[in-house]
Amino acid sequence: MALIYVLNGPNLNLLGTREPEIYGHQSLIDIEAMLTEQAKALGLTIDFRQTNHEGVLVDWLQEAKRAGAAAVLLNAAAYTHTSVALLDAIKAISLPVFEVHLSDPMQREDFRHISYVGMAAAGVFAGHGAQSYALALDAAARLAL
Ligand code: CA2
């Protein structure tokens, strides 16, 4: 069964508790449950994780490659807009990495308009709340298997 890593960055552990007008009411646990069901229906396995640490995201991207994952969904949160280390890691693993955002960074502050992740991503799904993850998983199933 194909394996998809779903990696989440800083502060996303707080989802559902604050700023619901931007990020929605669902918690990260709710999103994991939704994606797990979707993955089952698609015949995939997901490995769903969250960290507040940039280097841990780099470690997990490298691990995805070693583990034989078919693709990665990555919501790097604020590191999306700052991290050359993530860009280098995405390039280094040569796996399709789909960038995911709950909100649409392009419709927010200027500092969110740059995406280092997007410079190497296989696709970007943003602005649809938790459904951005669902759209990205469908894309991974269609494009990466
Ligand atoms: O829209 C997204 O998914 C973002 O990746 C979320 C990041 C933000 O820096 C990106 O520009 C867009 C922020 C995640 C913070 O998550 C929170 C969740 C609940 C309460 C406060 C922050």
mmCIF file of all heavy atoms in Angstrom, residues 68-97:
data_model
loop_
_atom_site.group_PDB
_atom_site.id
_atom_site.type_symbol
_atom_site.label_atom_id
_atom_site.label_comp_id
_atom_site.label_asym_id
_atom_site.label_seq_id
_atom_site.Cartn_x
_atom_site.Cartn_y
_atom_site.Cartn_z
ATOM 1 N N GLY A 68 10.450 5.156 1.784
ATOM 2 C CA GLY A 68 9.821 4.748 0.524
ATOM 3 C C GLY A 68 8.467 5.389 0.294
ATOM 4 O O GLY A 68 7.638 4.846 -0.454
ATOM 5 N N ALA A 69 8.215 6.535 0.931
ATOM 6 C CA ALA A 69 6.937 7.231 0.711
ATOM 7 C C ALA A 69 6.809 7.618 -0.758
ATOM 8 O O ALA A 69 7.808 7.892 -1.441
ATOM 9 C CB ALA A 69 6.860 8.475 1.589
ATOM 10 N N ALA A 70 5.554 7.640 -1.234
ATOM 11 C CA ALA A 70 5.301 7.998 -2.632
ATOM 12 C C ALA A 70 5.218 9.509 -2.797
ATOM 13 O O ALA A 70 5.458 10.032 -3.893
ATOM 14 C CB ALA A 70 4.003 7.354 -3.099
ATOM 15 N N ALA A 71 4.833 10.207 -1.726
ATOM 16 C CA ALA A 71 4.666 11.666 -1.801
ATOM 17 C C ALA A 71 4.587 12.209 -0.383
ATOM 18 O O ALA A 71 4.423 11.457 0.592
ATOM 19 C CB ALA A 71 3.397 12.029 -2.566
ATOM 20 N N VAL A 72 4.687 13.534 -0.290
ATOM 21 C CA VAL A 72 4.564 14.223 1.001
ATOM 22 C C VAL A 72 3.563 15.358 0.833
ATOM 23 O O VAL A 72 3.619 16.093 -0.167
ATOM 24 C CB VAL A 72 5.921 14.815 1.451
ATOM 25 C CG1 VAL A 72 5.770 15.580 2.766
ATOM 26 C CG2 VAL A 72 6.985 13.721 1.583
ATOM 27 N N LEU A 73 2.647 15.510 1.790
ATOM 28 C CA LEU A 73 1.851 16.731 1.909
ATOM 29 C C LEU A 73 2.511 17.542 3.009
ATOM 30 O O LEU A 73 2.744 17.026 4.102
ATOM 31 C CB LEU A 73 0.394 16.453 2.296
ATOM 32 C CG LEU A 73 -0.399 15.406 1.512
ATOM 33 C CD1 LEU A 73 -1.884 15.491 1.892
ATOM 34 C CD2 LEU A 73 -0.206 15.511 0.035
ATOM 35 N N LEU A 74 2.801 18.809 2.726
ATOM 36 C CA LEU A 74 3.554 19.629 3.681
ATOM 37 C C LEU A 74 2.851 20.954 3.922
ATOM 38 O O LEU A 74 2.753 21.777 2.996
ATOM 39 C CB LEU A 74 4.973 19.871 3.139
ATOM 40 C CG LEU A 74 5.866 20.811 3.964
ATOM 41 C CD1 LEU A 74 6.106 20.266 5.371
ATOM 42 C CD2 LEU A 74 7.202 21.037 3.249
ATOM 43 N N ASN A 75 2.356 21.139 5.158
ATOM 44 C CA ASN A 75 1.963 22.479 5.602
ATOM 45 C C ASN A 75 3.061 22.926 6.561
ATOM 46 O O ASN A 75 3.030 22.611 7.759
ATOM 47 C CB ASN A 75 0.603 22.480 6.293
ATOM 48 C CG ASN A 75 0.169 23.905 6.641
ATOM 49 O OD1 ASN A 75 0.967 24.848 6.543
ATOM 50 N ND2 ASN A 75 -1.087 24.062 7.048
ATOM 51 N N ALA A 76 4.023 23.663 6.016
ATOM 52 C CA ALA A 76 5.177 24.084 6.816
ATOM 53 C C ALA A 76 4.860 25.321 7.653
ATOM 54 O O ALA A 76 5.744 25.858 8.327
ATOM 55 C CB ALA A 76 6.371 24.334 5.916
ATOM 56 N N ALA A 77 3.594 25.784 7.589
ATOM 57 C CA ALA A 77 3.156 26.957 8.350
ATOM 58 C C ALA A 77 4.122 28.122 8.100
ATOM 59 O O ALA A 77 4.503 28.366 6.963
ATOM 60 C CB ALA A 77 2.980 26.598 9.827
ATOM 61 N N ALA A 78 4.555 28.831 9.144
ATOM 62 C CA ALA A 78 5.380 30.034 8.930
ATOM 63 C C ALA A 78 6.717 29.723 8.253
ATOM 64 O O ALA A 78 7.273 30.573 7.540
ATOM 65 C CB ALA A 78 5.609 30.742 10.259
ATOM 66 N N TYR A 79 7.233 28.496 8.434
ATOM 67 C CA TYR A 79 8.515 28.152 7.792
ATOM 68 C C TYR A 79 8.397 28.138 6.268
ATOM 69 O O TYR A 79 9.405 28.230 5.567
ATOM 70 C CB TYR A 79 9.032 26.806 8.297
ATOM 71 C CG TYR A 79 9.470 26.819 9.747
ATOM 72 C CD1 TYR A 79 9.130 25.784 10.609
ATOM 73 C CD2 TYR A 79 10.234 27.870 10.247
ATOM 74 C CE1 TYR A 79 9.528 25.794 11.934
ATOM 75 C CE2 TYR A 79 10.632 27.892 11.571
ATOM 76 C CZ TYR A 79 10.283 26.848 12.413
ATOM 77 O OH TYR A 79 10.675 26.860 13.733
ATOM 78 N N THR A 80 7.175 28.010 5.766
ATOM 79 C CA THR A 80 6.952 28.114 4.317
ATOM 80 C C THR A 80 7.629 29.359 3.759
ATOM 81 O O THR A 80 8.217 29.323 2.671
ATOM 82 C CB THR A 80 5.429 28.267 4.046
ATOM 83 O OG1 THR A 80 4.734 27.168 4.627
ATOM 84 C CG2 THR A 80 5.136 28.378 2.573
ATOM 85 N N HIS A 81 7.517 30.456 4.522
ATOM 86 C CA HIS A 81 7.901 31.772 4.019
ATOM 87 C C HIS A 81 9.337 32.167 4.369
ATOM 88 O O HIS A 81 9.771 33.264 4.012
ATOM 89 C CB HIS A 81 6.942 32.827 4.580
ATOM 90 C CG HIS A 81 5.503 32.407 4.527
ATOM 91 N ND1 HIS A 81 4.865 32.107 3.345
ATOM 92 C CD2 HIS A 81 4.587 32.177 5.516
ATOM 93 C CE1 HIS A 81 3.617 31.743 3.611
ATOM 94 N NE2 HIS A 81 3.423 31.778 4.916
ATOM 95 N N THR A 82 10.034 31.287 5.082
ATOM 96 C CA THR A 82 11.379 31.661 5.565
ATOM 97 C C THR A 82 12.463 30.616 5.305
ATOM 98 O O THR A 82 13.642 30.939 5.399
ATOM 99 C CB THR A 82 11.363 31.880 7.099
ATOM 100 O OG1 THR A 82 11.012 30.639 7.736
ATOM 101 C CG2 THR A 82 10.397 32.978 7.495
ATOM 102 N N SER A 83 12.077 29.369 5.018
ATOM 103 C CA SER A 83 13.048 28.286 5.197
ATOM 104 C C SER A 83 13.713 27.804 3.907
ATOM 105 O O SER A 83 13.158 26.979 3.161
ATOM 106 C CB SER A 83 12.380 27.095 5.896
ATOM 107 O OG SER A 83 13.327 26.072 6.068
ATOM 108 N N VAL A 84 14.938 28.266 3.700
ATOM 109 C CA VAL A 84 15.755 27.728 2.609
ATOM 110 C C VAL A 84 16.121 26.273 2.919
ATOM 111 O O VAL A 84 16.267 25.445 2.014
ATOM 112 C CB VAL A 84 17.025 28.594 2.422
ATOM 113 C CG1 VAL A 84 17.923 28.028 1.331
ATOM 114 C CG2 VAL A 84 16.638 30.031 2.078
ATOM 115 N N ALA A 85 16.225 25.934 4.209
ATOM 116 C CA ALA A 85 16.540 24.541 4.596
ATOM 117 C C ALA A 85 15.441 23.589 4.111
ATOM 118 O O ALA A 85 15.735 22.482 3.625
ATOM 119 C CB ALA A 85 16.692 24.443 6.117
ATOM 120 N N LEU A 86 14.191 24.007 4.207
ATOM 121 C CA LEU A 86 13.108 23.145 3.700
ATOM 122 C C LEU A 86 13.164 23.043 2.179
ATOM 123 O O LEU A 86 12.962 21.962 1.618
ATOM 124 C CB LEU A 86 11.748 23.674 4.150
ATOM 125 C CG LEU A 86 11.379 23.422 5.619
ATOM 126 C CD1 LEU A 86 10.008 24.026 5.932
ATOM 127 C CD2 LEU A 86 11.368 21.929 5.937
ATOM 128 N N LEU A 87 13.429 24.167 1.517
ATOM 129 C CA LEU A 87 13.558 24.129 0.049
ATOM 130 C C LEU A 87 14.666 23.159 -0.356
ATOM 131 O O LEU A 87 14.466 22.307 -1.236
ATOM 132 C CB LEU A 87 13.863 25.541 -0.477
ATOM 133 C CG LEU A 87 14.232 25.645 -1.958
ATOM 134 C CD1 LEU A 87 13.121 25.123 -2.857
ATOM 135 C CD2 LEU A 87 14.575 27.085 -2.322
ATOM 136 N N ASP A 88 15.809 23.253 0.303
ATOM 137 C CA ASP A 88 16.924 22.351 -0.030
ATOM 138 C C ASP A 88 16.543 20.890 0.219
ATOM 139 O O ASP A 88 16.885 20.004 -0.575
ATOM 140 C CB ASP A 88 18.163 22.701 0.810
ATOM 141 C CG ASP A 88 18.824 23.999 0.362
ATOM 142 O OD1 ASP A 88 18.519 24.490 -0.739
ATOM 143 O OD2 ASP A 88 19.656 24.531 1.130
ATOM 144 N N ALA A 89 15.842 20.643 1.323
ATOM 145 C CA ALA A 89 15.448 19.260 1.656
ATOM 146 C C ALA A 89 14.481 18.711 0.612
ATOM 147 O O ALA A 89 14.607 17.556 0.175
ATOM 148 C CB ALA A 89 14.812 19.215 3.044
ATOM 149 N N ILE A 90 13.527 19.540 0.194
ATOM 150 C CA ILE A 90 12.545 19.084 -0.814
ATOM 151 C C ILE A 90 13.266 18.731 -2.112
ATOM 152 O O ILE A 90 12.993 17.704 -2.734
ATOM 153 C CB ILE A 90 11.469 20.170 -1.037
ATOM 154 C CG1 ILE A 90 10.613 20.331 0.211
ATOM 155 C CG2 ILE A 90 10.596 19.819 -2.236
ATOM 156 C CD1 ILE A 90 9.760 21.597 0.222
ATOM 157 N N LYS A 91 14.218 19.585 -2.494
ATOM 158 C CA LYS A 91 14.982 19.302 -3.723
ATOM 159 C C LYS A 91 15.816 18.036 -3.560
ATOM 160 O O LYS A 91 15.948 17.238 -4.486
ATOM 161 C CB LYS A 91 15.897 20.477 -4.054
ATOM 162 C CG LYS A 91 15.163 21.675 -4.619
ATOM 163 C CD LYS A 91 16.184 22.755 -4.945
ATOM 164 C CE LYS A 91 15.581 23.898 -5.709
ATOM 165 N NZ LYS A 91 16.519 25.031 -5.794
ATOM 166 N N ALA A 92 16.366 17.857 -2.356
ATOM 167 C CA ALA A 92 17.298 16.739 -2.134
ATOM 168 C C ALA A 92 16.597 15.384 -2.181
ATOM 169 O O ALA A 92 17.202 14.396 -2.602
ATOM 170 C CB ALA A 92 17.997 16.912 -0.782
ATOM 171 N N ILE A 93 15.353 15.324 -1.751
ATOM 172 C CA ILE A 93 14.716 13.995 -1.629
ATOM 173 C C ILE A 93 14.111 13.527 -2.943
ATOM 174 O O ILE A 93 13.749 12.361 -3.071
ATOM 175 C CB ILE A 93 13.660 13.949 -0.498
ATOM 176 C CG1 ILE A 93 12.516 14.917 -0.753
ATOM 177 C CG2 ILE A 93 14.335 14.203 0.853
ATOM 178 C CD1 ILE A 93 11.389 14.828 0.291
ATOM 179 N N SER A 94 13.988 14.421 -3.905
ATOM 180 C CA SER A 94 13.293 14.111 -5.167
ATOM 181 C C SER A 94 12.083 13.198 -4.989
ATOM 182 O O SER A 94 11.992 12.121 -5.575
ATOM 183 C CB SER A 94 14.240 13.602 -6.262
ATOM 184 O OG SER A 94 15.104 12.607 -5.802
ATOM 185 N N LEU A 95 11.172 13.676 -4.172
ATOM 186 C CA LEU A 95 9.833 13.083 -4.022
ATOM 187 C C LEU A 95 8.846 14.204 -4.323
ATOM 188 O O LEU A 95 9.141 15.373 -4.032
ATOM 189 C CB LEU A 95 9.581 12.676 -2.568
ATOM 190 C CG LEU A 95 10.051 11.341 -2.046
ATOM 191 C CD1 LEU A 95 9.591 11.183 -0.593
ATOM 192 C CD2 LEU A 95 9.511 10.214 -2.893
ATOM 193 N N PRO A 96 7.663 13.883 -4.849
ATOM 194 C CA PRO A 96 6.671 14.954 -5.010
ATOM 195 C C PRO A 96 6.176 15.453 -3.651
ATOM 196 O O PRO A 96 5.695 14.671 -2.829
ATOM 197 C CB PRO A 96 5.538 14.303 -5.804
ATOM 198 C CG PRO A 96 5.800 12.847 -5.807
ATOM 199 C CD PRO A 96 7.217 12.600 -5.401
ATOM 200 N N VAL A 97 6.361 16.743 -3.420
ATOM 201 C CA VAL A 97 5.912 17.381 -2.173
ATOM 202 C C VAL A 97 4.816 18.376 -2.545
ATOM 203 O O VAL A 97 5.034 19.286 -3.365
ATOM 204 C CB VAL A 97 7.081 18.101 -1.467
ATOM 205 C CG1 VAL A 97 6.574 18.884 -0.248
ATOM 206 C CG2 VAL A 97 8.146 17.091 -1.044
#
